[in-house]
Amino acid sequence: MTGVPASAAGGSSPAGAAGKASAVGSSKAPGSKTGGAEPGVAGGAKAARGGKIAAAAVNQASVWNIANLLTMLRLVLVPAFVALMLADGGYDPAWRSLAWAAFAIAMITDLFDGHLARTYDLVTDFGKIADPIADKAIMGAALICLSALGDLPWWVTGVILGRELGITLLRFIVIRYGVIPASRGGKLKTLTQGVAVGMYILALTGWLATLRWWVMAAAVVLTVVTGLDYVRQAIVLRRQGIAERKAALEETEA
């Protein structure tokens, strides 16, 4: 800042040159550590470092946003659901109704946390990891409890959980080539699974008990069909990625 007034006043005249020399000399007088422009650079560097520290603090604080809190709630509801589901032998209608309420809350929060994160730019690394874990944990807990109580065949639980774990692993395998987007069929599958499992959690009788069998059958079909579609997308994505890398390598060598 000390060189700006002298430069502006002196221009290219001798007086201006003398003023500039005097200004430079005064900036290097005993007791000063840097020249005229250096304090500004140092201040800018300090400001940049301060900005990075502040940004890091904001990112750390953003973990506690509403979307992540809903995800945490789902994780807490998993053990609560299991306790309610298995209370008093697992066949008491009142306890089953409370277990259904916990399951329904978990499924509803699953619809909102992702939407809130994308809409209000609340996406965090914690949410990316915890959200799918919470989804699979509540669904897996419900299916295993139903099969353990004899309400749902184990093969149905095996098909649904096997598909979910397999597709998750497949996503990690092909992530180097790109991301497999969620399809409408996948969203319909999730909705159908939630409705079917919710109906099995409740102690239904009569035609409702028959209806839930058909809803679960539709969920199983959608689970298999969408799973095969994800496999197809993964194969196509991998082939495209390999072809693009090969083309880029050939272009570099040429």
Side-chain angles (χ1 to χ4, degrees), residues 76-205:
V76 173
L77 283 173
V78 173
F81 165 81
V82 173
L84 293 169
M85 189 71 181
L86 301 179
D88 198 16
Y91 297 102
D92 185 271
W95 288 112
R96 294 283 284 258
S97 297
L98 292 175
W100 176 87
F103 180 81
I105 292 172
M107 297 304 293
I108 291 172
T109 57
D110 179 32
L111 298 176
F112 284 103
D113 61 354
H115 174 73
L116 290 172
R118 291 186 296 270
T119 302
Y120 297 101
D121 194 21
L122 301 175
V123 178
T124 63
D125 291 337
F126 171 82
K128 293 176 183 178
I129 297 173
D131 183 67
I133 292 176
D135 297 342
K136 292 172 177 56
I138 188 65
M139 182 61 69
L143 290 169
I144 291 173
C145 286
L146 288 171
S147 294
L149 293 171
D151 293 338
L152 189 68
W154 277 106
W155 70 265
V156 174
T157 297
V159 168
I160 294 177
L161 293 185
R163 184 268 191 197
E164 297 301 328
L165 295 176
I167 295 303
T168 300
L169 179 61
L170 186 64
R171 287 178 183 272
F172 280 110
I173 292 175
V174 301
I175 195 171
R176 68 182 67 178
Y177 305 108
V179 177
I180 304 177
S183 63
R184 293 183 178 179
K187 295 178 181 178
L188 179 60
K189 177 269 304 178
T190 302
L191 177 62
T192 308
Q193 283 182 0
V195 173
V197 171
M199 294 179 72
Y200 267 87
I201 293 172
L202 291 172
L204 300 178
T205 58

Side-chain angles (χ1 to χ4, degrees), residues 1-11 16 19-20 23-24 27 36-37:
M1 295 298 293
T2 57
V4 174
S7 176
K20 184 175 181 180
V24 173
S27 66

